[in-house]
Amino acid sequence: MMPGPGGGAGPLVMLQALLGPEVVAAVRSDEVERYLVDHRRLYHGRALAIARPRSTEQVSKLLAFCNAQRIGVVPQGGNTSYCGGATPDASGTQLLLSLERMDRIRQLDADDCAMVAEAGCVLAKLQDAAREADRLLPLSLGSEGSCQLGGNLSTNAGGTNVLRYGMARDLVLGLEVVLADGRVLDTLSTLRKDNTGYDVKSLFLGAEGTLGVITAAALRLFPREASLATAFVAVPDIDAAVALLARLRASSGDRLSSFELIPRAALDLLSAHLPDARDPLAAPSPWYVLCEAASARADEDLTAMLAQALEEALAAGQVTDAAVARGARDRESLWSLRERIPEAQRREGLSLKHDVSLPVSHVARFVAEAEAWLRQAAPEGRLVAYGHLGDGNLHFNVSARSATEAEALAARTDAIRRHVHDLVRAHGGSFSAEHGIGALKVDELVRYAPPVELELMRAIKRTFDPQGIMNPGKVLRR
Amino acid sequence: MMPGPGGGAGPLVMLQALLGPEVVAAVRSDEVERYLVDHRRLYHGRALAIARPRSTEQVSKLLAFCNAQRIGVVPQGGNTSYCGGATPDASGTQLLLSLERMDRIRQLDADDCAMVAEAGCVLAKLQDAAREADRLLPLSLGSEGSCQLGGNLSTNAGGTNVLRYGMARDLVLGLEVVLADGRVLDTLSTLRKDNTGYDVKSLFLGAEGTLGVITAAALRLFPREASLATAFVAVPDIDAAVALLARLRASSGDRLSSFELIPRAALDLLSAHLPDARDPLAAPSPWYVLCEAASARADEDLTAMLAQALEEALAAGQVTDAAVARGARDRESLWSLRERIPEAQRREGLSLKHDVSLPVSHVARFVAEAEAWLRQAAPEGRLVAYGHLGDGNLHFNVSARSATEAEALAARTDAIRRHVHDLVRAHGGSFSAEHGIGALKVDELVRYAPPVELELMRAIKRTFDPQGIMNPGKVLRR
């Protein structure tokens, strides 16, 4: 038997002796897909074992042991990463640490507008709990039915409510984190204001488990939204969409919570692959906006407000047509168009994905330049650029025009990524908006991060995880 | 002449050779008050010299030199710290680094809802510039006419709009920071979403210049507020005020931007010392709330909304009387009551100040317990607890009941601070809400910060500033 760091059965036996086989076990063959293959099926890992702790104390014991033995630890939530951030490498020497059993809501106080929840809570469960207390947890994203809080915070998730409520980071009041050596950092306060030295907790938000394991968080809640207005709007171009954004923010009294850009190409994909997806408007338009305003007042006629603002935008030439949702079913059907774009893309086949952000004022020029380049350099590709225009965040995806052209397009993956990301940088944008770095974008971070910032990140990594056991190879190269 | 680190004329001559006497000079006798004495006159420092750089490059040269020579550097903005955070020590060996000449607005883009400004900009100037572009920079505090952006960010300032818009940290999109060794960290992006590795910039927000010098920042802007409603409300007790907070957040559609608690004792101080301060209500009440709602819609009748919500609160017994502002003059006169409380306290004489925060649901119990203790243990003291109840932030101040009792009360300073801060901790609160640590609260931080967090802070300090030149002795002990 191979003794020593991370090799063979030795560490597994010792881990089981420490915490029992109920907490630490070999990955069964029927669990491989669930834990060792990522959501996009880009990564297929192996693992020394899987640990499913039930308490912070158990996580602490696990990490102290792994740190002493130099065993790499890969934390995992709902396994919905787009960047392979939660998949172990192929060596079989890393411990997969699933937080799924730590799924308690420890505290919820409506007066304080705060809740404390464990990392393994599925996001939708937290949204429901807040709603039952007449409050809103605004974090909302496509995978909310399966993604977990720990992963949301570790990737600083975005989603469809960022415009109004901010990223995951902005919702965090305090954290409980187990450090690489097993020490527990407890800053689980629900205080809105707490200026006591450096903002240490922020380092873990977006660190993707490379500096420690988030085990619980105190989250901000808001008054529950009691009225909603939703519209699907045809706009002539992106400039018009940007002008509409400013108009609606002002005319809604800054109650715009979502402002999603959708291209005609996405509607075409939807109608090709999802027959029940229906274009809400009569005539085709090159671009659309799905927008929503929300208010905590039940007696507020946001729909009338939105309809009037859209009339004015129509008169100003910023809008060519619009469908305003009348009731919850309308609303759901409009949102399902937006939310099923990734599914339609999956059915279409190859899709080269870029999760970029830009200053809102640059989005139109960036898309025009990138599209012109694509026509020349990758004629097999069709641009499907959609996303959270209110935050300047585009999912700049390139689909193959036909199944026969997929291979030729795939061969251009690296060249397209390089051109798109270089162009994003030239416009003052970022190659990574809301999906994180994971394993997929480690080289991009080295290329695009300011060198001084990268030096500081590496220094922080060495300070927090001197043995390099935390999610090795993710975010920063080993 | 004394050679070597930080001693005598040597370093001054060398600094002047490096950047010229226009940038680096001895502190003139008529400048001592302005630069070397803090706002509350608790600290009287000396300085090797004063540097007033005009550019990031000059700051970089200064720090590189000081790091090599191990000369302590004390950054200073508008010198409005309540905790001595910007005053050099008494040794005369530290360099005072005033950012006041770095006062340019580098960029302001209304579509992007962002501006980039240098650290030496006075806050009010930035508010004005945003307003001219039909946008809102929501950071607002008593000293906004003289405090500077760099100090606001370095202390993560709060103020009266935190309830709706967050702390200074929440408004920062990017930073330019000169590190202790002169390297320049440039993350001056105006992107709303940028998940590229660790959130390094957050460390500098609230670090009070101990990890580097913030030279510029990219800030979030919001739609300009076009309608306002303000009311001064009598409430029977703090529980009623907390219930009113939840009611007004919901009934205003979460457009409540300020919710300030004011005790009767504060109104008594105001009428004793500022004869033009007028109680807006007929009968006295033990507690008051000054609240304001704001909207970017010009055509919204917030005043009617607020008046109706207050009627309902009256019927529910949460409110006993209220004055709703009719027009800008009314509003100003109500706000001047709140804003002049510190002035009235200064005129009254000794005031033992505690800048604490609590979960909103604990404020009433905390105040009751603290007041009961004070009556027994410090009969010379009168409690004047006021502040941002919407954020759970109380300025828990104790004034002497009469001039003759000031000395006896002063003798209890340490005992009162200890009891108040211990009680705050027992209620899950913080001894430092929005004024920072500075020099004043270094020992409190050691006492109350979780030990693991303190260890991480010290490790970060060593990593970012290995020579210990950045604002020595502030936040963390040397």
Side-chain angles (χ1 to χ4, degrees):
Chain A
M1 193 165 77
M2 269 276 292
L12 174 55
V13 170
M14 287 162 78
L15 276 163
Q16 288 187 323
L18 192 69
L19 288 164
E22 198 258 346
V23 171
V24 181
V27 181
R28 295 198 317 261
S29 59
D30 64 334
E31 293 175 333
V32 167
E33 281 285 317
R34 178 166 171 208
Y35 294 110
L36 302 182
V37 181
D38 73 302
H39 178 65
R40 291 176 63 193
R41 307 191 58 80
L42 300 175
Y43 296 90
H44 293 70
R46 291 174 59 225
L48 169 69
I50 178 168
R52 279 171 281 221
R54 296 187 184 276
S55 68
T56 307
E57 191 192 348
Q58 289 180 346
V59 177
S60 168
K61 281 185 181 169
L62 278 169
L63 291 197
F65 176 85
C66 290
N67 195 50
Q69 301 285 321
R70 302 201 182 188
I71 297 171
V73 177
V74 180
Q76 188 175 94
N79 197 16
T80 60
S81 172
Y82 263 45
C83 301
T87 310
D89 68 16
S91 70
T93 61
Q94 299 179 331
L95 178 71
L96 185 79
L97 174 57
S98 168
L99 278 299
E100 66 193 344
R101 286 176 177 168
M102 290 190 65
D103 63 350
R104 285 186 314 133
I105 295 175
R106 295 189 190 166
Q107 181 187 329
L108 196 164
D109 191 301
D111 274 346
D112 295 333
C113 280
M115 76 195 298
V116 176
E118 291 182 345
C121 292
V122 169
L123 177 56
K125 167 181 157 172
L126 300 179
Q127 295 167 341
D128 290 345
R131 200 175 299 118
E132 277 163 33
D134 210 26
R135 292 291 178 269
L136 170 75
L137 175 66
L139 188 64
S140 175
L141 46 156
S143 58
E144 61 197 27
S146 57
C147 65
Q148 293 172 16
L149 178 63
N152 296 150
L153 301 185
S154 294
T155 57
N156 186 25
T160 53
N161 278 335
V162 175
L163 179 60
R164 171 112 172 249
Y165 296 101
M167 304 284 284
R169 173 179 292 128
D170 301 310
L171 306 176
V172 174
L173 297 167
L175 285 182
E176 180 186 83
V177 181
V178 181
L179 302 177
D181 59 9
R183 281 178 298 166
V184 178
L185 173 69
D186 180 355
T187 66
L188 270 185
S189 116
T190 58
L191 299 172
R192 189 74 188 85
K193 282 183 172 176
D194 185 14
N195 268 335
T196 44
Y198 308 154
D199 185 20
V200 175
K201 75 171 187 307
S202 264
L203 286 177
F204 300 99
L205 302 167
E208 305 184 28
T210 62
L211 298 178
V213 178
I214 295 173
T215 47
L219 302 172
R220 283 178 73 190
L221 303 177
F222 293 80
R224 179 175 167 180
E225 293 178 339
S227 48
L228 282 173
T230 313
F232 189 84
V233 183
V235 293
D237 51 40
I238 299 179
D239 280 327
V242 170
L244 181 64
L245 170 65
R247 174 188 293 274
L248 292 184
R249 283 192 78 175
S251 62
S252 71
D254 210 16
R255 269 162 299 170
L256 201 60
S257 49
S258 298
F259 195 86
E260 301 286 309
L261 183 72
I262 299 172
R264 181 69 217 174
L267 283 207
D268 291 343
L269 281 182
L270 285 166
S271 61
H273 296 288
L274 304 165
D276 59 324
R278 203 178 50 75
D279 182 347
L281 301 176
S285 164
W287 294 97
Y288 302 89
V289 165
L290 176 63
C291 56
E292 188 160 280
S295 168
R297 286 175 67 182
D299 61 348
E300 192 156 13
D301 193 348
L302 283 179
T303 298
M305 177 280 296
L306 187 59
Q308 195 199 320
L310 289 171
E311 290 268 342
E312 290 162 14
L314 198 76
Q318 289 158 352
V319 161
T320 56
D321 196 6
V324 178
R326 315 234 159 258
R329 279 188 61 172
D330 267 12
R331 175 177 181 261
E332 271 164 42
S333 120
L334 295 181
W335 269 105
S336 88
L337 290 176
R338 165 65 184 85
E339 279 160 2
R340 292 165 78 192
I341 297 173
E343 186 188 343
Q345 287 197 291
R346 256 195 309 277
R347 297 196 185 198
E348 173 79 0
L350 179 70
S351 168
L352 308 180
K353 296 187 188 296
H354 310 87
D355 168 41
V356 306
S357 65
L358 296 140
V360 171
S361 61
H362 282 251
V363 172
R365 265 181 294 157
F366 164 79
V367 170
E369 289 167 27
E371 195 160 26
W373 179 85
L374 274 175
R375 266 196 301 272
Q376 296 293 318
E380 314 83 3
R382 175 162 56 164
L383 179 61
V384 186
Y386 66 96
H388 320 296
L389 183 61
D391 321 309
N393 179 190
L394 283 187
H395 301 309
F396 190 90
N397 298 347
V398 184
S399 293
R401 288 192 180 274
S402 69
T404 54
E405 289 171 293
E407 204 174 323
L409 182 65
R412 300 194 202 273
T413 301
D414 292 349
I416 293 174
R417 183 198 310 120
R418 185 58 56 240
H419 187 85
V420 169
H421 288 173
D422 281 355
L423 192 60
V424 163
R425 174 162 68 175
H427 280 281
S430 169
F431 71 94
S432 172
E434 61 170 13
H435 294 165
I437 303 297
L440 190 65
K441 298 179 184 170
V442 172
D443 289 333
E444 300 299 285
L445 185 65
V446 172
R447 184 179 174 94
Y448 294 109
V452 173
E453 192 176 21
L454 208 54
E455 288 165 25
L456 291 176
M457 288 184 204
R458 290 190 177 123
I460 290 166
K461 171 73 175 174
R462 285 192 301 269
T463 302
F464 280 64
D465 179 22
Q467 309 288 354
I469 66 156
M470 291 309 314
N471 213 359
K474 311 291 164 51
V475 184
L476 297 173
R477 235 192 278 274
R478 261 177 269 207
Chain B
M1 194 166 77
M2 269 277 289
L12 173 55
V13 169
M14 286 162 79
L15 277 163
Q16 287 187 324
L18 192 68
L19 288 164
E22 197 258 346
V23 171
V24 182
V27 181
R28 294 197 318 260
S29 59
D30 64 335
E31 294 175 332
V32 167
E33 281 285 316
R34 179 168 170 205
Y35 294 110
L36 302 182
V37 181
D38 73 303
H39 179 66
R40 290 176 64 194
R41 308 189 59 79
L42 300 175
Y43 296 91
H44 292 70
R46 289 173 61 225
L48 168 69
I50 177 166
R52 280 172 281 221
R54 295 186 183 277
S55 69
T56 307
E57 191 193 347
Q58 289 181 346
V59 177
S60 167
K61 282 185 180 168
L62 278 167
L63 291 197
F65 176 86
C66 290
N67 195 51
Q69 300 286 321
R70 303 202 182 187
I71 297 170
V73 177
V74 180
Q76 188 177 93
N79 197 16
T80 60
S81 172
Y82 263 45
C83 302
T87 309
D89 68 15
S91 70
T93 62
Q94 298 178 330
L95 179 71
L96 185 80
L97 173 58
S98 168
L99 278 298
E100 65 192 343
R101 286 176 176 167
M102 291 191 64
D103 63 351
R104 285 186 314 134
I105 295 174
R106 294 189 190 166
Q107 182 187 330
L108 196 162
D109 191 301
D111 274 346
D112 295 332
C113 280
M115 76 194 300
V116 176
E118 293 182 344
C121 293
V122 169
L123 177 56
K125 167 181 157 171
L126 301 178
Q127 294 168 340
D128 291 345
R131 200 175 299 119
E132 278 163 31
D134 211 26
R135 292 291 177 270
L136 170 75
L137 176 66
L139 187 64
S140 175
L141 46 154
S143 59
E144 60 198 25
S146 57
C147 65
Q148 293 172 15
L149 178 62
N152 296 149
L153 301 185
S154 293
T155 57
N156 186 25
T160 53
N161 279 334
V162 174
L163 179 60
R164 171 110 171 252
Y165 296 101
M167 304 284 282
R169 173 179 292 126
D170 301 309
L171 305 175
V172 174
L173 297 167
L175 285 182
E176 180 187 83
V177 180
V178 180
L179 302 176
D181 59 9
R183 280 179 298 167
V184 178
L185 173 69
D186 180 354
T187 66
L188 271 184
S189 113
T190 58
L191 299 172
R192 188 76 188 82
K193 283 184 173 178
D194 185 13
N195 268 337
T196 45
Y198 308 154
D199 185 21
V200 175
K201 74 171 189 307
S202 264
L203 286 177
F204 300 99
L205 302 167
E208 305 185 28
T210 62
L211 299 178
V213 179
I214 295 173
T215 47
L219 302 173
R220 282 178 74 188
L221 303 178
F222 293 80
R224 181 176 166 178
E225 293 179 339
S227 48
L228 283 172
T230 312
F232 190 84
V233 183
V235 294
D237 51 40
I238 299 180
D239 280 327
V242 169
L244 181 64
L245 171 65
R247 175 188 291 273
L248 292 184
R249 283 194 78 176
S251 62
S252 71
D254 210 16
R255 268 160 300 170
L256 202 61
S257 49
S258 297
F259 195 87
E260 302 285 311
L261 183 71
I262 300 172
R264 181 69 215 174
L267 283 205
D268 291 343
L269 281 182
L270 285 165
S271 62
H273 296 288
L274 305 165
D276 58 325
R278 204 177 49 75
D279 184 344
L281 301 176
S285 164
W287 294 96
Y288 302 89
V289 165
L290 175 64
C291 57
E292 187 161 283
S295 169
R297 286 176 67 183
D299 62 347
E300 191 154 14
D301 194 349
L302 283 179
T303 299
M305 176 281 294
L306 187 59
Q308 195 198 321
L310 290 172
E311 291 268 343
E312 289 162 16
L314 198 77
Q318 289 159 353
V319 161
T320 56
D321 196 5
V324 178
R326 316 236 157 255
R329 279 187 62 172
D330 267 12
R331 174 177 180 261
E332 271 163 42
S333 120
L334 294 181
W335 269 107
S336 88
L337 290 175
R338 165 65 184 85
E339 280 161 2
R340 292 164 81 192
I341 296 172
E343 186 189 343
Q345 288 197 291
R346 257 193 309 276
R347 296 195 185 200
E348 173 81 359
L350 179 70
S351 168
L352 308 180
K353 295 186 189 299
H354 311 85
D355 168 40
V356 307
S357 65
L358 296 140
V360 171
S361 61
H362 282 250
V363 172
R365 264 180 295 156
F366 164 79
V367 170
E369 289 167 29
E371 195 161 26
W373 179 84
L374 275 174
R375 266 197 300 272
Q376 296 292 319
E380 316 83 2
R382 174 162 58 161
L383 180 60
V384 186
Y386 66 96
H388 320 295
L389 182 62
D391 321 310
N393 179 190
L394 283 187
H395 301 308
F396 190 89
N397 298 346
V398 184
S399 294
R401 289 193 179 273
S402 68
T404 54
E405 289 172 291
E407 204 173 325
L409 181 65
R412 301 194 202 273
T413 301
D414 292 348
I416 293 174
R417 183 198 310 119
R418 185 58 55 237
H419 187 85
V420 169
H421 288 172
D422 281 355
L423 192 60
V424 163
R425 175 163 66 177
H427 281 280
S430 169
F431 71 94
S432 172
E434 61 170 12
H435 294 164
I437 303 298
L440 190 64
K441 298 180 184 169
V442 171
D443 289 333
E444 301 299 286
L445 185 65
V446 171
R447 184 179 175 96
Y448 294 109
V452 174
E453 192 176 23
L454 208 54
E455 289 165 25
L456 292 175
M457 288 185 204
R458 290 189 177 123
I460 290 166
K461 171 73 175 174
R462 285 192 300 270
T463 302
F464 280 63
D465 179 22
Q467 307 290 353
I469 65 156
M470 291 309 314
N471 213 0
K474 310 292 164 51
V475 183
L476 297 173
R477 237 192 279 273
R478 261 178 271 205

